[in-house]
Amino acid sequence: MRRYRVLHSTVYVYSDVVSSSYGRAFLSPRDFPGQRLRGHDIHIDPVPSDRSVGTDVYGNTTLYFHVTAEHRRLEVTGESLVDVEAPALRAEPMPWEQARPTGENGPLAVEFTLDLTPPEIIPEVAAYAAESFPPGRPLVEAVRELTTRIYTDFTYESGSTTVSTRVADVFAAREGVCQDFARLGIACLRSLGLAARYVSGYLATQPPPGQERLVGADATHAWAAVWLPAGGEDPLVEGNWIGFDPTNDQFADENYVTLAWGRDYADVPPLRGIIYTDARESSITVSVDVAPVEV
């Protein structure tokens, strides 16, 4: 088990006064078997005139806030203390075809087999996925190969895409960032009738040998998870999902801190909102620090 103190700060600066800011934040790490949220708070400056906490349809904690004081700078900082355990990943012999959810063995997981609108499952993606999933192959073995192939075949290129870039464009360009590779993996699995979800969170990184850890140099991360009909009746229980990270060619372990999950990035962006202003220019600065804490 590992314990982390997470600081996630987002600062917006505007060239003119903002009279009103509405925001929605997915900055509260989830609490589930394998991850324990020990403390959490979100600080907002200027102080909102109204804020409320709710839960979305996937069980993610969301914060809504409204800042009515005039401002040219808005800062939102999430601070969390989280314990993460390494999942017990077994060499599951189940053929991948048997991992398709149905109304009986995984009614809540069926939604995660459906394509998005507009569609992301193009013929090229389906053909790419099929190479790793011959008939009867064990699910975990097939997902492991798919993860490695995406890692090998695609180049990580910061700034090469945006949050609205389509999977088809990533597939054609053969480059992207973590959210693109997660979404590609998800589209591949869904093309086979398997349930896959998008996971937003953090990846604790270690500095190179002989160098000190740089505070604030971490970043938000994204990976995917595939559903497995095992470990209980409820398909939303974490034990039924196996996280995999094509960006780093590995399954999710105790270095991964989960914020939220959904069908796609659009379900769980860390922060989004609406402002009222005449400002013609704005800037955003994001700082993330995932620091290990001795238990």
Side-chain angles (χ1 to χ4, degrees):
M1 188 271 290
R2 294 184 180 176
R3 179 169 296 174
Y4 300 102
R5 177 177 176 268
V6 181
L7 281 175
H8 181 167
S9 176
T10 305
V11 178
Y12 299 91
V13 177
Y14 306 99
S15 62
D16 203 347
V17 171
V18 175
S19 60
S20 186
S21 290
Y22 293 89
R24 183 187 188 190
F26 286 92
L27 292 173
S28 304
R30 293 193 65 127
D31 197 307
F32 57 87
Q35 180 169 296
R36 175 82 179 274
L37 180 60
R38 293 194 167 273
H40 176 69
D41 198 5
I42 296 178
H43 311 278
I44 303 173
D45 182 27
V47 176
S49 58
D50 183 34
R51 61 186 286 169
S52 62
V53 177
T55 304
D56 71 0
V57 67
Y58 301 117
N60 303 304
T61 298
T62 65
L63 170 70
Y64 300 87
F65 63 88
H66 182 198
V67 176
T68 54
E70 291 189 346
H71 57 282
R72 291 173 178 263
R73 181 182 184 276
L74 174 67
E75 181 173 2
V76 181
T77 300
E79 182 175 3
S80 308
L81 187 65
V82 189
D83 290 346
V84 183
E85 296 180 1
L89 182 61
R90 304 185 305 272
E92 177 61 54
M94 176 182 293
W96 67 266
E97 295 94 337
Q98 295 181 20
R100 291 169 171 154
T102 67
E104 294 182 358
N105 73 354
L108 297 182
V110 172
E111 177 185 2
F112 293 89
T113 68
L114 304 177
D115 198 3
L116 303 178
T117 302
E120 296 280 34
I121 302 174
I122 59 175
E124 293 85 353
V125 167
Y128 185 82
E131 293 182 31
S132 293
F133 289 80
R137 190 175 196 182
L139 174 67
V140 173
E141 179 183 309
V143 171
R144 187 187 303 276
E145 181 183 292
L146 177 65
T147 302
T148 298
R149 287 176 57 220
I150 294 175
Y151 173 80
T152 303
D153 295 342
F154 293 78
T155 301
Y156 186 95
E157 187 65 43
S158 180
S160 61
T161 60
T162 68
V163 295
S164 60
T165 300
R166 303 283 305 281
V167 166
D169 296 327
V170 173
F171 192 85
R174 285 295 200 273
E175 65 180 19
V177 295
C178 60
Q179 68 187 28
D180 301 307
F181 303 152
R183 296 177 68 239
L184 173 58
I186 290 168
C188 285
L189 295 181
R190 288 176 180 167
S191 74
L192 298 158
L194 296 168
R197 69 187 181 195
Y198 181 96
V199 187
S200 170
Y202 311 102
L203 173 59
T205 57
Q206 300 297 324
Q211 297 186 22
E212 295 185 1
R213 194 179 65 84
L214 297 177
V215 175
D218 296 316
T220 55
H221 192 50
W223 59 98
V226 60
W227 184 77
L228 182 69
E233 297 298 325
D234 185 352
L236 292 185
V237 171
E238 180 62 19
N240 283 356
W241 293 86
I242 300 173
F244 64 98
D245 180 6
T247 302
N248 293 288
D249 190 20
Q250 61 189 21
F251 286 106
D253 57 19
E254 67 275 18
N255 294 308
Y256 289 74
V257 178
T258 299
L259 272 178
W261 58 61
R263 294 194 62 241
D264 191 43
Y265 169 86
D267 292 332
V268 290
L271 193 62
R272 65 162 40 140
I274 298 174
I275 63 171
Y276 291 86
T277 182
D278 290 326
R280 294 180 177 275
E281 298 179 354
S282 64
S283 64
I284 178 174
T285 303
V286 179
S287 173
V288 176
D289 188 52
V290 183
V293 178
E294 289 191 10
V295 179

